[in-house]
Amino acid sequence: VLYEYNGATAGNSTTSETYSTGGTDITLPTPTRTGYTFGGWYSDLELTSQVGVAGDAYSPTVNLTLYAKWTGEPRSVTYMNPESLTGSVPTDSTDYVIGDTVVVKLNSGGLQKNGYAFEGWTENSDGTGTVLEPGETLTVDTTDIELYPKWSAVTYSISYNKNGGSGDLSAAPTSWQTGDSNVTLPNTGLTKTGYTFDGWEELGSSVRESYDYFPNYADTTLVARWTIKNIS
């Protein structure tokens, strides 16, 4: 009796055994294979005629080869939302087995993170590793798959409206990226006849007393605020 283990990763050291009529039965081997469940021993390549399962006693009547049958263990694909962000992750209810192909899903639930753009999914919770864009594929291996959103910091523009004043703003910051320190707005070098520069305002908001500025996750136009000088 010859054994064809068909990819077993352990329990496969016995390659053949001899049985004599009337003698002690052969004990069928107990192989294992990572990611698979053993389904018994078969006497045909098509795996239709089972002669026994692992550990069974077997007494052959002819010389033959026995073939191991394997069934892939079900594997899941789960899309994760580790930061409990607004929106929802897609779901994948398919039971995959090793070797199957998974098509990466869209961010269909509108998962959002302030100041960041969605780039795709990765298999690492910290966002490192290969970025899988929606529609790309990956192959199921021996473990369940968890996919985490990958985010990239957005850069926002800052522009200035002198509101009738004059002065050189060439050194003023013109952009800010999420995660950077707040920007320092110019507070000198602007003039307007009869007026005193009184800071910047954004879309009608109150005067910014501080020049340590955070753009609030949007492109911004800042308008110079002027107060009339009192001349005595």
Side-chain angles (χ1 to χ4, degrees):
V1 178
L2 304 178
Y3 296 106
E4 176 55 62
Y5 287 91
N6 290 334
T9 52
N12 54 353
S13 58
T14 302
T15 58
S16 65
E17 292 188 274
T18 301
Y19 170 79
S20 297
T21 303
T24 303
D25 289 347
I26 291 171
T27 300
L28 295 176
T30 304
T32 58
R33 184 181 179 187
T34 304
Y36 292 84
T37 299
F38 179 61
W41 290 102
Y42 289 75
S43 60
D44 61 313
L45 278 170
E46 293 76 22
L47 304 176
T48 59
S49 298
Q50 188 182 68
V51 302
V53 296
D56 274 359
Y58 177 57
S59 54
T61 57
V62 296
N63 297 326
L64 80 168
T65 298
L66 296 182
Y67 302 91
K69 181 179 181 179
W70 301 99
T71 302
E73 296 173 353
R75 299 300 178 198
S76 63
V77 176
T78 305
Y79 292 82
M80 310 299 290
N81 181 7
E83 299 176 90
S84 299
L85 302 172
T86 58
S88 61
V89 294
T91 58
D92 190 336
S93 58
T94 303
D95 283 334
Y96 296 94
V97 295
I98 190 169
D100 281 352
T101 297
V102 176
V103 179
V104 178
K105 292 183 177 292
L106 295 166
N107 181 19
S108 54
L111 199 65
Q112 297 180 20
K113 183 177 181 179
N114 275 345
Y116 292 85
F118 176 77
E119 285 193 353
W121 307 93
T122 76
E123 294 186 71
N124 298 323
S125 59
D126 61 359
T128 60
T130 302
V131 178
L132 299 165
E133 296 181 1
E136 289 193 83
T137 60
L138 67 161
T139 302
V140 176
D141 204 341
T142 58
T143 59
D144 295 336
I145 295 173
E146 292 182 345
L147 295 175
Y148 297 84
K150 171 68 174 181
W151 305 99
S152 62
V154 174
T155 298
Y156 299 98
S157 67
I158 304 171
S159 56
Y160 302 89
N161 180 342
K162 298 176 186 177
N163 193 18
S166 61
D168 182 11
L169 295 179
S170 60
T174 58
S175 65
W176 178 85
Q177 186 178 73
T178 305
D180 288 349
S181 300
N182 291 353
V183 298
T184 300
L185 300 178
N187 62 351
T188 60
L190 287 176
T191 59
K192 184 178 181 180
T193 302
Y195 292 84
T196 300
F197 177 67
D198 196 22
W200 301 95
E201 63 181 16
E202 179 185 43
L203 298 178
S205 65
S206 60
V207 176
R208 298 191 175 274
E209 302 294 342
S210 170
Y211 296 99
D212 184 28
Y213 175 60
F214 163 65
N216 198 28
Y217 304 125
D219 293 337
T220 304
T221 297
L222 296 174
V223 180
R225 177 69 177 262
W226 302 97
T227 56
I228 297 176
K229 287 182 180 180
N230 291 319
I231 301 174
S232 57

